[in-house]
Amino acid sequence: MIAGVVGELDHHSADYIRQKLDAELVKASNKNIIFDLSKMSFMDSSGIGIIMGRYKNIQKLGGKASLVGLSDQSRRIFEMSGLLKIVPAYETIDEALKNM
Amino acid sequence: MQPINEIKLEFLSKSSNEAFARVVAAAFVSQIDPTLEELADVKTAVSEAVTNAVIHGYENSQGLIRMHCKLFCDAVEIIISDDGVGIEDIELARQPLYTSKPDMDRSGMGFTVMESFMDIVEVTSKPGEGTTVYMFKTFKSLIK
């Protein structure tokens, strides 16, 4: 599944994004997920929780997660938390797919 | 050091005001024309501090959050305060990855992000009386 975040990811939008993602993941036959953040205009630490939470859920089912389209700002936030060590970041969706 | 401009803002602890507060702070700071990256740093730090007040200070009930900004020729001071439940152990709350609400997908990185994006972050709090976060950032692009 490829999930694109368009707009801002903060505590306010996190609830909606979480519900939407979890509902789609239940329906999806494949438990791998690529987060495309190239159209995300802002993110604070709420983004770490969203990605980490989804990663934990799909990991139990043998799924993998990766990130695409990080801005300098979001990369710094993810790096701080150590998240990129378990959810790798790629330049393009193609590259992420190859490494799934 | 005399500020060249100053604003005080008071708003309800609604999560929709997290975006409002960070956009106001960025618009105010943009008067001195820092880089886009420096503006994003301020936006992110304000977002973290206001989110803390909404989630932890008022525990999603309603109260007032205050934001007080002072602008200098190459720096900004931002004070965000609430009259919420306060923090019992500030040192613990500031630790990376520590969160009192792990069930809500909270990462515990709020204060770490503030510290990383601003030059100074000071937290004062008393249980039952609220929390004040003082932040200061010098814009390196504007230092002559």
Side-chain angles (χ1 to χ4, degrees):
Chain A
M1 176 169 123
I2 299 170
V5 178
V6 180
E8 304 194 313
L9 203 179
D10 64 358
H11 160 245
H12 179 67
S13 63
D15 267 348
Y16 171 79
I17 294 171
R18 181 191 307 116
Q19 282 167 20
K20 198 95 181 158
L21 284 172
D22 287 350
E24 290 299 325
L25 276 168
V26 168
K27 286 190 266 173
S29 55
N30 183 320
K31 297 300 172 196
N32 293 336
I33 182 164
I34 297 171
F35 295 96
D36 179 4
L37 307 183
S38 57
K39 291 195 171 67
M40 185 175 71
S41 54
F42 174 84
M43 186 194 89
D44 62 19
S45 69
S46 306
I48 303 168
I50 286 290
I51 307 291
M52 192 70 100
R54 308 296 77 51
Y55 166 77
K56 281 182 184 160
N57 289 348
I58 60 168
Q59 191 207 22
K60 288 178 205 147
L61 306 164
K64 283 186 186 174
S66 57
L67 297 161
V68 163
L70 298 194
S71 63
D72 291 346
Q73 204 79 11
S74 61
R75 184 179 292 276
R76 270 174 76 193
I77 293 171
F78 286 133
E79 268 170 0
M80 253 175 246
S81 68
L83 182 116
L84 297 181
K85 287 179 198 137
I86 50 172
V87 181
Y90 299 101
E91 290 300 314
T92 63
I93 290 175
D94 277 350
E95 203 188 321
L97 280 170
K98 271 181 212 149
N99 288 286
M100 267 294 163
Chain B
M1 195 164 50
Q2 277 296 316
I4 55 171
N5 203 351
E6 185 170 351
I7 55 163
K8 278 185 182 177
L9 184 71
E10 217 171 33
F11 49 91
L12 270 183
S13 58
K14 287 173 172 285
S15 64
S16 53
N17 282 334
E18 293 155 6
F20 173 68
R22 67 178 178 252
V23 168
V24 168
F28 181 64
V29 169
S30 67
Q31 293 173 30
I32 56 170
D33 208 19
T35 65
L36 283 178
E37 197 197 339
E38 287 168 333
L39 267 185
D41 290 353
V42 171
K43 266 177 99 171
T44 312
V46 167
S47 195
E48 300 293 352
V50 173
T51 301
N52 274 353
V54 172
I55 301 179
H56 302 287
Y58 291 112
E59 299 185 303
N60 295 312
S61 67
Q62 268 186 16
L64 282 172
I65 299 171
R66 290 171 299 276
M67 182 168 79
H68 184 178
C69 308
K70 285 184 192 170
L71 199 60
F72 302 91
C73 59
D74 58 5
V76 67
E77 173 191 297
I78 300 175
I79 299 167
I80 291 167
S81 56
D82 67 63
D83 305 315
V85 298
I87 304 170
E88 235 163 76
D89 188 340
I90 296 174
E91 214 177 305
L92 179 67
R94 290 183 72 149
Q95 275 179 19
L97 302 173
Y98 171 79
T99 176
S100 55
K101 299 200 171 15
D103 48 318
M104 289 171 62
D105 268 352
R106 302 307 307 169
S107 64
M109 291 297 288
F111 280 123
T112 310
V113 169
M114 286 181 237
E115 286 161 10
S116 160
F117 288 3
M118 304 294 277
D119 300 334
I120 302 170
V121 177
E122 283 166 10
V123 186
T124 48
S125 185
K126 253 195 180 158
E129 288 179 23
T131 300
T132 299
V133 177
Y134 168 95
M135 301 189 281
F136 190 89
K137 184 178 180 71
T138 302
F139 301 106
K140 302 201 170 52
S141 68
L142 297 175
I143 299 172
K144 283 167 194 137

